[in-house]
Amino acid sequence: MSARSSQSHTSTPSNILEQVRQCAASVTRYPLDILTEHAQLEDELGIDSVKLAEIAAVIAREFQLPPDRLPRSGKARTLGAIAGAVTEALGTEPGPSLHVSAPVAPAVAVAEAKASAGAPATLDLLPRVRAVFARVTRYPEELLTPHADLEDELGIDSVKQAEVMAVLMKELGLSDAPKPSQRLRTMAAIADAARALLPAAPPVAEARPRAPVVHAAPAPAPSRMELPFAGKVALVTGSGKGIGRVIATRLARAGATVVVNSFHSREDGEKTARDISDAGGKAVHLWGSVAQEEHLERMFAAIREQLGGLDLLVCNASNGLIGPFDRIAPRDWDKAFRTCITGTYECAMRARPLMAARGGGSIVTMSTSMSQRYMHDLGCQGVVKAGVESLTRYLAAELAPEGIRTNCVSAGPVHGDLLGMFPDAPERVARWESATPGGRLCTADDVADVTELLLGPKTQRVNGAIWVVDAGLSGTVDGLLPAARAS
């Protein structure tokens, strides 16, 4: 047994916990004081299933354990739980020299051998399926065992599974996806279903027509003499990527010092702030979840101490399961409510004294135009965002005496990463565009245009308003229903 192995076997639980915390810190770059033993990894720390898989891989290397000995996803709620699993594994493992370094490979090799020997060739797609899952999820491939439950064991939710299926269908040249009712819970089941859809002699996949994605040209940067937000401090929550990133960039170009905030996408948030600074703007990045009171205290204390106050707030951080209504669990409702409604409320109330001390300010909340309409697979967000619109009206009335205006931008489908989360995304986008008057969906710049207008001096008498930005889609019906219902 190696000296390293001997040292690991004699580690006390407290030492193991400390090593696990160090591994988590090296992957997430979170401060160690946040990485406590009992903190909920996803709900409190924002460590999603992809990042958790990265942490598990580092911990496995640190303790020379096979990754499948560590708890996964739902069973790995805290670092304490992971440290307990490591302690148990170290007490039963015979030593690293007796482990197979890649336990998945033999199973795949056996499956391929059976296929070549004339056995049913359903499993020969497994290597391809695993490779696609690894590429899309960024999980270490050794964690992606054929019969692991995708959601319960690996933490790959329905949205990410839909992304994987879209890539896999494209690579295999399939025009039809397995039916959602099949509930394909493992990669082995997906390989079986994909094999059943393959024709006997697969034809060359024809390119499927798609509506062109037309992005609005960025607005020209205004001159220094006409910067509407010069001297203003703006906080844009959830601005590491997507619409939030575009809004943050636009406000910086308009003269504001922008506080970029991100939680799950910390690296993206830091890059957004860096890109703004490199372009000559002023930006800082503050990591934290608007759904966590402790994080909000740190964020707003930093704004007060480092920037002296706040003038503009865009509540863009959002959460909400995209998928069938019967897949929404109580935990999904709780996360969506705490982020979209409680988080928006808490940000506004913490901004209130900072804005009042500077003579007033402006707040913009973000909703979806489907809060007042039905859109298939948007039930969780649609319902919660309706609450955001109601909250906006109440904030407008409550904060007006202190010179603070609160309005809402209610956006429809916007070209970007979010659209790719919908099942059958290409077909849906084409249907939405065909149902939109003018035949074109909005872009993030379109949403940023209205956000910037509502924050600025040209809308001083606009308060408590819900401005719909969806190119008229919410006025139609066919584009919002599932294809079967719309026909």
Side-chain angles (χ1 to χ4, degrees):
M1 184 179 294
S2 66
R4 174 75 180 103
S5 176
S6 176
Q7 179 183 350
S8 297
H9 278 62
T10 57
S11 296
T12 64
S14 61
N15 287 340
I16 290 175
L17 175 62
E18 184 59 28
Q19 287 175 270
V20 167
R21 292 176 65 226
Q22 293 286 351
C23 289
S26 70
V27 174
T28 63
R29 295 190 293 124
Y30 285 9
L32 270 174
D33 62 324
I34 289 178
L35 297 170
T36 58
E37 180 179 2
H38 301 295
Q40 294 290 314
L41 296 177
E42 183 172 2
D43 293 346
E44 295 183 56
L45 299 179
I47 299 174
D48 60 17
S49 55
V50 175
K51 190 66 70 176
L52 180 58
E54 296 179 32
I55 294 172
V58 172
I59 292 173
R61 288 195 298 271
E62 173 73 11
F63 291 96
Q64 298 186 18
L65 294 172
D68 61 3
R69 295 303 304 271
L70 300 179
R72 306 185 189 188
S73 188
K75 297 179 182 179
R77 298 282 190 196
T78 66
L79 293 178
I82 296 176
V86 170
T87 302
E88 181 180 351
L90 291 177
T92 58
E93 286 299 316
S97 61
L98 299 182
H99 295 314
V100 179
S101 59
V104 176
V108 175
V110 169
E112 292 175 341
K114 287 183 178 179
S116 63
T122 54
L123 292 181
D124 60 355
L125 287 178
L126 266 175
R128 201 161 183 179
V129 171
R130 290 178 64 233
V132 171
F133 266 92
R135 188 164 71 248
V136 175
T137 65
R138 295 188 294 125
Y139 277 27
E141 195 161 329
E142 60 267 23
L143 291 180
L144 299 172
T145 53
H147 300 289
D149 188 286
L150 296 175
E151 190 160 357
D152 293 343
E153 294 186 66
L154 298 178
I156 302 173
D157 61 20
S158 57
V159 174
K160 188 62 69 175
Q161 290 177 39
E163 292 182 44
V164 174
M165 291 303 298
V167 174
L168 187 62
M169 287 171 58
K170 182 177 180 181
E171 290 195 2
L172 297 178
L174 296 176
S175 58
D176 296 318
K179 304 300 181 186
S181 58
Q182 289 181 255
R183 293 182 63 81
L184 304 176
R185 303 194 67 93
T186 67
M187 278 173 286
I190 289 175
D192 290 346
R195 180 68 183 178
L197 292 173
L198 285 175
V204 177
E206 297 181 3
R208 304 177 67 191
R210 287 183 60 182
V213 177
V214 181
H215 295 286
S223 68
R224 290 291 176 186
M225 295 300 294
E226 55 186 24
L227 294 177
F229 299 130
K232 304 290 186 182
V233 176
L235 166 62
V236 184
T237 66
S239 50
K241 55 186 177 182
I243 293 174
R245 173 186 168 90
V246 174
I247 293 172
T249 302
R250 292 278 291 272
L251 294 180
R253 283 169 45 194
T257 298
V258 178
V259 179
V260 176
N261 159 252
S262 64
F263 182 43
H264 290 294
S265 52
R266 180 171 188 154
E267 293 83 358
D268 292 331
E270 292 173 344
K271 184 178 186 301
T272 297
R274 188 165 59 250
D275 289 346
I276 290 173
S277 299
D278 290 345
K282 299 177 182 178
V284 296
H285 175 257
L286 291 180
W287 171 85
S289 166
V290 300
Q292 301 296 328
E293 186 174 2
E294 178 186 349
H295 295 196
L296 286 173
E297 289 290 346
R298 292 186 184 211
M299 287 167 53
F300 278 87
I303 292 171
R304 182 176 59 252
E305 295 164 7
Q306 299 176 23
L307 302 174
L310 189 67
D311 303 282
L312 311 171
L313 169 64
V314 180
C315 297
N316 178 70
S318 185
N319 198 322
L321 176 74
I322 294 177
F325 210 70
D326 59 5
R327 288 288 303 279
I328 306 173
R331 185 164 172 262
D332 299 316
W333 285 116
D334 180 59
K335 289 166 61 178
F337 192 95
R338 285 193 296 116
T339 301
C340 298
I341 295 182
T342 306
T344 295
Y345 168 80
E346 291 291 341
C347 283
M349 298 309 289
R350 283 172 169 77
R352 180 181 192 170
L354 301 181
M355 291 181 172
R358 295 162 77 98
S362 184
I363 299 172
V364 169
T365 65
M366 305 300 287
S367 180
T368 170
S369 59
M370 298 305 115
S371 64
Q372 306 300 324
R373 298 288 188 275
Y374 171 82
M375 178 177 279
H376 191 50
D377 289 330
L378 203 67
C380 188
Q381 285 199 20
V383 171
V384 173
K385 290 296 190 179
V388 171
E389 294 181 9
S390 180
L391 174 62
T392 299
R393 299 184 184 97
Y394 274 83
L395 288 173
E398 290 281 342
L399 305 185
E402 289 156 295
I404 302 171
R405 297 183 299 115
T406 309
N407 295 290
C408 178
V409 174
S410 181
V414 172
H415 282 301
D417 294 339
L418 183 61
L419 289 193
M421 295 183 178
F422 282 89
D424 306 320
E427 292 80 3
R428 290 195 186 206
V429 171
R431 189 167 70 250
W432 290 335
E433 290 197 325
S434 66
T436 300
R440 218 174 69 185
L441 297 181
C442 292
T443 68
D445 277 299
D446 296 325
V447 178
D449 283 339
V450 179
T451 304
E452 192 172 352
L453 179 63
L454 286 173
L455 289 172
K458 294 183 180 180
T459 53
Q460 285 298 316
R461 292 296 176 265
V462 179
N463 193 24
I466 314 297
W467 283 26
V468 175
V469 185
D470 69 355
L473 176 61
S474 57
T476 72
V477 175
D478 288 350
L480 308 181
L481 297 174
R485 299 184 186 181
S487 59

